[in-house]
Amino acid sequence: YIQEEIIMKPKETVDFHIRWSWHNISRMYNLKASDFGGTMAIGYTLLNIDKDGTPSTKLGPKMGMEPRSLTRMIKSLEENGLIERRSDSKDKRLVNLFLTKKGEDLRKKAREYVIQFNEAIYENINEKDIKTCFDVLKKINFLIDQNNIFKN
């Protein structure tokens, strides 16, 4: 028994549409962020640093970033004067990240753009369709997390 070869056009694949949407969202945010010398990744990182400080070890899991990439990002943010590292007052081994004034200003702009984007989406797409989209994406992530996609 020979399985018939399945031919799919890129636009018929799920990942094409997810990647296409993500590329457009990323490009949109990067275009806006470039007005202020930032990037979408910088804005996303700033949005994930709490006002009371965030332990550097908690930031990666919070953002879904690999430690190596996160280390480079933290170094870049620090060099650009957007964050500062401070030792924890109770446990000197821990390092907390804090936004500088410049970082807070950029975070406010990033937050405004995220809100504007979401408002535009909710104004133009009905809530039921958005909920369906979220449900489908959760199911896709669950399948991937279960490591149940590729069977040998």
Side-chain angles (χ1 to χ4, degrees), residues 18 137-149:
I18 293 171
L137 290 171
K138 283 178 191 171
K139 287 176 184 175
I140 290 170
N141 283 317
F142 177 79
L143 287 171
I144 293 168
D145 289 344
Q146 296 301 306
N147 202 16
N148 204 17
I149 300 291

Side-chain angles (χ1 to χ4, degrees), residues 5 15 27 46 61 69 77 88 96 101 103 106 109 120 140 145:
E5 184 178 335
D15 57 320
R27 191 169 36 124
L46 296 176
S69 301
L77 292 172
D88 190 85
N96 290 312
K101 173 71 173 115
L106 205 53
K109 284 181 176 49
I140 290 170
D145 289 344

Side-chain angles (χ1 to χ4, degrees), residues 1-114:
Y1 173 76
I2 298 174
Q3 186 176 4
E4 203 175 302
E5 184 178 335
I6 299 172
I7 299 173
M8 293 182 86
K9 294 178 180 133
K11 289 185 179 178
E12 294 173 346
T13 66
V14 173
D15 57 320
F16 172 86
H17 291 279
I18 293 171
R19 193 176 31 222
W20 185 33
S21 293
W22 181 246
H23 174 74
N24 281 330
I25 291 167
S26 179
R27 191 169 36 124
M28 172 194 68
Y29 279 136
N30 276 322
L31 213 76
K32 209 63 186 150
S34 70
D35 293 344
F36 308 99
T39 64
M40 184 190 76
I42 288 171
Y44 186 61
T45 306
L46 296 176
L47 288 168
N48 279 283
I49 296 175
D50 300 324
K51 291 185 186 276
D52 299 329
T54 298
S56 55
T57 54
K58 298 271 198 265
L59 191 57
K62 193 173 177 182
M63 296 175 52
M65 280 182 82
E66 295 296 321
R68 214 173 22 245
S69 301
L70 184 62
T71 300
R72 284 193 300 271
M73 175 62 75
I74 289 171
K75 185 178 181 192
S76 173
L77 292 172
E78 197 172 26
E79 286 171 354
N80 288 308
L82 298 171
I83 63 167
E84 60 185 20
R85 300 177 203 224
R86 296 185 209 153
S87 293
D88 190 85
S89 56
K90 295 174 186 150
D91 185 347
K92 298 294 182 196
R93 296 172 297 171
L94 297 177
V95 175
N96 290 312
L97 305 174
F98 290 86
L99 297 174
T100 62
K101 173 71 173 115
K102 184 178 173 184
E104 287 175 6
D105 292 343
L106 205 53
R107 175 194 169 109
K108 283 179 190 168
K109 284 181 176 49
R111 187 175 184 280
E112 288 170 19
Y113 294 129
V114 169

